[in-house]
Amino acid sequence: MTVFDPPIREYIKGGGFIELEEMLGDDLTPARVARISYLSKGDEEANRKLLKKLIDLGHFSPFEQQVFRFKIDGIPMYIGEQLLRHRIASPLKRSFRYTSPDKGKKISFTVEGINEIIHIPPELLGLRESHIENKDELLREMIEHFKKGIDLYRKLVESGLRKEAARTVLPAGLRTTLYWTINMRSLMNFLTLRLNPKAQWEMRELAKAVARILKRVVPLTMEKFLEKEGLEKYLHE
Amino acid sequence: MTVFDPPIREYIKGGGFIELEEMLGDDLTPARVARISYLSKGDEEANRKLLKKLIDLGHFSPFEQQVFRFKIDGIPMYIGEQLLRHRIASPLKRSFRYTSPDKGKKISFTVEGINEIIHIPPELLGLRESHIENKDELLREMIEHFKKGIDLYRKLVESGLRKEAARTVLPAGLRTTLYWTINMRSLMNFLTLRLNPKAQWEMRELAKAVARILKRVVPLTMEKFLEKEGLEKYLHE
Amino acid sequence: MTVFDPPIREYIKGGGFIELEEMLGDDLTPARVARISYLSKGDEEANRKLLKKLIDLGHFSPFEQQVFRFKIDGIPMYIGEQLLRHRIASPLKRSFRYTSPDKGKKISFTVEGINEIIHIPPELLGLRESHIENKDELLREMIEHFKKGIDLYRKLVESGLRKEAARTVLPAGLRTTLYWTINMRSLMNFLTLRLNPKAQWEMRELAKAVARILKRVVPLTMEKFLEKEGLEKYLHE
Amino acid sequence: MTVFDPPIREYIKGGGFIELEEMLGDDLTPARVARISYLSKGDEEANRKLLKKLIDLGHFSPFEQQVFRFKIDGIPMYIGEQLLRHRIASPLKRSFRYTSPDKGKKISFTVEGINEIIHIPPELLGLRESHIENKDELLREMIEHFKKGIDLYRKLVESGLRKEAARTVLPAGLRTTLYWTINMRSLMNFLTLRLNPKAQWEMRELAKAVARILKRVVPLTMEKFLEKEGLEKYLHE
């Protein structure tokens, strides 16, 4: 268990970042606590073996004893919503009932400036291959549309409309930020589903960033888990 | 337990509706099953008394034995996301990774037509009092902005962009639809939080519609619960 | 969705039974509701195909839409406790804080009479092969010990001790009864873990009884699920 | 967040103890993370005020960000089972499928020796007032009965019976040990239910020990919570 000061940060391809702020338990905690079933004892070497065995046998409940608090910043709202589907977790999110999209930062209406507050598809930014030909035109229209949306939002709020209702005109790709406290067992399920090529590109990039952090703080657990589930290959796509 | 054919439908003020399709248990089921603790028996009259007593004493676990499957249609995405915060529930939602906003219906760019697929604040529709003066102007700009967003979305998709990424330009108030299977205990928590005046107007209207349906199918449970929590008054605001 | 009147009962080898009283949804409900993701439609034949596909792809969330209320009667307390490990479920149990072991039934101190209220290992009853040689002697001592425990319990209670504390002298194998409301997704996890030869014999017999009931009420779901997980073979051991 | 080395231990009246080994977050973490909703900032003094306000308003979700790993040693099995009713938690328990009651310790058949491995009601030990007159006789019979149970258990196991089945003759009050990782929100619910005079005496003593530890590590949270729920008075009964 450690407080990470500064937090361990990984950038998410396409925009945003994730930070690990704090962690309960360490790499071998699942093995140590699992010994309670048999009242057995073991040194570190034995615990390393037991940890691998737990994963091999699919005994995942001891991995609920590793708990992580992440801060995730700058993910599109629809990715944030997908995170909420993982019900064995404790999220706390920025609320657009109370905050304007420009709270705390001045918006610059350049491609880069916009991408900091609203998701721009990686295909248009040259971060992902595609056959789209009219990228510049689409990008220009997109920026313009986002600008109009924010202008309209401001006008609605100035006219006296509730922020929580005015947000109806904001784009679905608005970036948000959240705290996410979740245990390793639930994260294993998250990684299996979200590293998979069937997951949305934006979600996979978040999952990869999560995996990169976990490989640093629970390396043995991750090595064995990724190997067993055949997920290692997805980290490098 | 009953299949409701046709489903019990309640309209949500501001747009959309909710239907109860099916229900496990009935109004007195919590009392009947709670008797297992003491291996006691009771006739219907005794069960009615016991049901009230369970609520009075705050013994809510027997209310997990009443389970409801709702279909909710036409709520703004941010209200849908708020529903996901209730983790003791089983939601299944329409996915905008795969469906265009106009799937299954032709969009008409009138106020009424737009409000069927994108949330328009009730203040602008005259459904809720406000001091907003330039309603017509705001409404016109809003419709125009929504139209541009949908046009741009179509253009992005036609250019070869993934639907799941193109949705970044769609408005946050896009309406969605979901199945929601949830037990009465979790619904009690939902009603306490979401009928409260601190909840967003749009969410409160959904909560009221839920309450209206429940009053029809589990009347005794609801009467006692609303009374105990002092929620009845919120149903008529 | 159906109320089963009379309930569908299966006896558990070794003692006790399980009954399905009521069910939300039917065999094809997961397929029907899953169509909401794509807003697609399909006839019954298409739904049968989709159901199988959902299981093949490991898309289990739609199976939360099938919910079952079982009554389980006569399982040893330690098996009851193992059931509580399945946290995605709503159990309601007889409480030995309030009920004496003989509440509602006169205890007969024969092997058969005792086995109705306290678990006797199947090896001693000839229900399971073993190399135990002194069965009769062990059985006799066991019955005698159980009798003394119940006598002592009665004496403690008559002396004024709380029932909830007097139970300390009751045997761990005392049989209990509970309601258990649980969805199919959670049951799938239950079956995978509890049909497995590593599970305790007594638990496996309960799991088999659950499986026999489910095969009758959601036959297509079970056929595909058992096949995919390779569990069919365990039903006949 | 802290690793407690040595752990913070509190003894449970009647037998056993509970230790806090590790903790995620600290007393003010809920306030700090809750600020994400509004993207607000605050110094420590402001966070102390916010923490109290969160509790006053019943905003408990930020308290999921405080997570505790306890080790609980020596509670009767039926109290252990009651702990499992709290489903928002991660327990890992000693298994009597695999361990004999005397694993790791020699049993001494004195009152004190027995009470270390099997629960003896506090009324008989003079720890709790009662009108029971024949205490010595009851205590003697109880010890004798426990001794016979353990002898019979050993005989069954030596005859070749599975430990998991032989335990049927062990007393229900056998003491067990578990790890229990649980967040503060779930603990608040635990304390409200289990400090209450309606809870079993043995459970209340455990709840008091939990409360004593929490008052040391999250004093502000506990002070406000106990005050709001009116629970302080139960700690001193």
Side-chain angles (χ1 to χ4, degrees), chain A residues 129-146:
Chain A
E129 269 185 67
S130 80
H131 300 294
I132 301 172
E133 290 177 353
N134 48 341
K135 284 180 198 170
D136 288 349
E137 180 194 339
L138 292 171
L139 208 47
R140 205 180 52 243
E141 289 186 36
M142 200 177 266
I143 302 294
E144 192 187 344
H145 183 67
F146 288 153

Side-chain angles (χ1 to χ4, degrees), chain D residues 75-88:
Chain D
I75 51 167
M77 289 199 301
Y78 37 80
I79 298 300
E81 186 187 304
Q82 283 179 26
L83 279 188
L84 295 184
R85 311 308 295 256
H86 296 268
R87 287 163 289 181
I88 314 290

Side-chain angles (χ1 to χ4, degrees), chain C residues 5 69 73:
Chain C
D5 187 13
R69 185 177 72 246
D73 194 277

Side-chain angles (χ1 to χ4, degrees), chain A residues 21 69-70 92-94 178-181, chain D residues 28-38 47 50 54 61-66:
Chain A
E21 292 191 343
R69 186 177 71 245
F70 294 105
L92 271 178
K93 262 177 87 173
R94 170 181 179 177
L178 74 153
Y179 283 106
W180 197 42
T181 291
Chain D
L28 293 181
T29 296
R32 272 193 297 267
V33 297
R35 290 189 176 281
I36 201 167
S37 299
Y38 293 82
N47 281 338
L50 177 54
L54 290 171
S61 61
F63 294 90
E64 297 180 25
Q65 307 290 331
Q66 292 169 328

Side-chain angles (χ1 to χ4, degrees), chain C:
Chain C
M1 173 248 39
T2 326
V3 173
F4 299 99
D5 187 13
I8 300 184
R9 178 182 290 201
E10 286 284 339
Y11 289 92
I12 303 164
K13 194 173 172 183
F17 61 81
I18 174 168
E19 287 180 344
L20 175 60
E21 292 191 343
E22 200 174 325
M23 169 183 168
L24 183 84
D26 60 34
D27 206 5
L28 292 181
T29 296
R32 272 193 297 267
V33 297
R35 291 190 176 279
I36 202 167
S37 299
Y38 292 83
L39 295 187
S40 72
K41 297 199 171 164
D43 60 12
E44 187 166 324
E45 185 49 32
N47 282 338
R48 295 172 71 88
K49 276 189 196 155
L50 178 54
L51 190 91
K52 291 181 184 177
K53 195 175 156 192
L54 290 170
I55 293 172
D56 261 336
L57 295 174
H59 289 181
F60 291 125
S61 60
F63 294 90
E64 297 180 25
Q65 308 290 331
Q66 292 169 328
V67 186
F68 306 86
R69 185 177 72 246
F70 293 105
K71 184 174 186 182
I72 305 178
D73 194 277
I75 51 167
M77 289 199 300
Y78 37 80
I79 298 300
E81 186 187 304
Q82 283 179 27
L83 279 188
L84 295 184
R85 311 307 295 256
H86 296 268
R87 286 163 290 181
I88 314 290
S90 297
L92 271 178
K93 261 176 87 175
R94 170 181 179 176
S95 172
F96 285 102
R97 290 188 65 194
Y98 312 121
T99 62
S100 297
D102 55 357
K103 170 142 193 187
K105 62 171 76 181
K106 205 176 161 302
I107 305 175
S108 154
F109 290 96
T110 59
V111 171
E112 201 175 64
I114 280 291
N115 192 42
E116 274 185 39
I117 66 150
I118 307 171
H119 176 251
I120 296 181
E123 287 88 342
L124 302 185
L125 296 174
L127 294 173
R128 196 181 184 216
E129 270 185 66
S130 80
H131 300 293
I132 301 172
E133 290 177 353
N134 48 341
K135 284 181 200 171
D136 289 349
E137 180 194 340
L138 292 171
L139 208 47
R140 204 181 53 243
E141 288 186 36
M142 199 178 266
I143 301 295
E144 191 187 343
H145 184 67
F146 288 153
K147 185 171 185 325
K148 283 207 175 139
I150 287 170
D151 287 345
L152 179 52
Y153 171 87
R154 286 172 176 158
K155 191 168 174 180
L156 287 163
V157 172
E158 280 159 18
S159 299
L161 188 64
R162 299 164 287 143
K163 276 190 193 127
E164 64 191 14
R167 63 175 156 169
T168 194
V169 302
L170 292 174
L174 193 65
R175 294 185 183 276
T176 189
T177 177
L178 75 153
Y179 283 105
W180 197 41
T181 291
I182 182 168
N183 69 44
M184 189 65 199
R185 185 185 198 177
S186 190
L187 277 172
M188 285 170 164
N189 177 57
F190 168 80
L191 291 173
T192 300
L193 292 172
R194 305 302 188 178
L195 286 175
N196 191 292
K198 280 181 190 152
Q200 179 163 352
W201 186 90
E202 286 76 7
M203 185 46 122
R204 294 184 71 198
E205 290 302 323
L206 171 59
K208 286 183 203 171
V210 169
R212 288 195 299 271
I213 290 179
L214 292 176
K215 286 177 86 161
R216 289 167 65 179
V217 295
V218 289
L220 192 65
T221 301
M222 280 298 280
E223 183 192 340
K224 186 66 194 172
F225 170 70
L226 293 173
E227 175 202 319
K228 195 202 170 204
E229 300 293 319
L231 296 172
E232 181 69 33
K233 61 181 178 287
Y234 297 141
L235 299 186
H236 312 289
E237 284 182 358

Side-chain angles (χ1 to χ4, degrees), chain D residues 79-228:
Chain D
I79 298 300
E81 186 187 304
Q82 283 179 26
L83 279 188
L84 295 184
R85 311 308 295 256
H86 296 268
R87 287 163 289 181
I88 314 290
S90 297
L92 271 178
K93 261 177 88 174
R94 170 181 179 176
S95 172
F96 285 102
R97 291 188 64 194
Y98 311 121
T99 62
S100 297
D102 55 357
K103 171 143 192 185
K105 62 171 76 181
K106 206 178 160 301
I107 305 175
S108 155
F109 290 96
T110 59
V111 171
E112 202 175 63
I114 279 291
N115 192 42
E116 274 185 39
I117 66 150
I118 306 171
H119 175 251
I120 296 181
E123 287 88 342
L124 301 184
L125 296 174
L127 294 173
R128 197 183 183 214
E129 270 185 65
S130 79
H131 300 293
I132 301 172
E133 290 177 354
N134 49 341
K135 284 180 198 170
D136 289 349
E137 179 194 341
L138 292 171
L139 208 47
R140 203 180 53 243
E141 288 186 37
M142 200 178 267
I143 302 294
E144 191 187 344
H145 183 67
F146 289 153
K147 186 171 185 324
K148 281 205 176 141
I150 287 170
D151 286 345
L152 179 52
Y153 171 86
R154 286 172 176 159
K155 191 168 174 180
L156 287 163
V157 172
E158 280 159 20
S159 299
L161 188 63
R162 299 165 286 142
K163 276 190 193 125
E164 64 191 15
R167 63 174 156 169
T168 194
V169 302
L170 291 174
L174 193 65
R175 294 185 183 275
T176 189
T177 177
L178 74 153
Y179 283 106
W180 197 42
T181 291
I182 182 168
N183 68 45
M184 188 64 199
R185 185 185 197 177
S186 190
L187 277 172
M188 285 170 164
N189 177 57
F190 168 79
L191 291 173
T192 300
L193 291 172
R194 305 303 188 177
L195 286 174
N196 190 293
K198 280 181 191 153
Q200 179 163 353
W201 186 89
E202 286 76 7
M203 185 46 122
R204 295 185 71 198
E205 290 302 323
L206 171 59
K208 286 183 203 171
V210 169
R212 288 194 300 271
I213 289 180
L214 292 176
K215 286 177 86 162
R216 289 167 65 179
V217 295
V218 288
L220 192 64
T221 302
M222 280 298 280
E223 183 192 340
K224 185 67 194 172
F225 170 70
L226 293 173
E227 175 202 319
K228 196 204 170 202

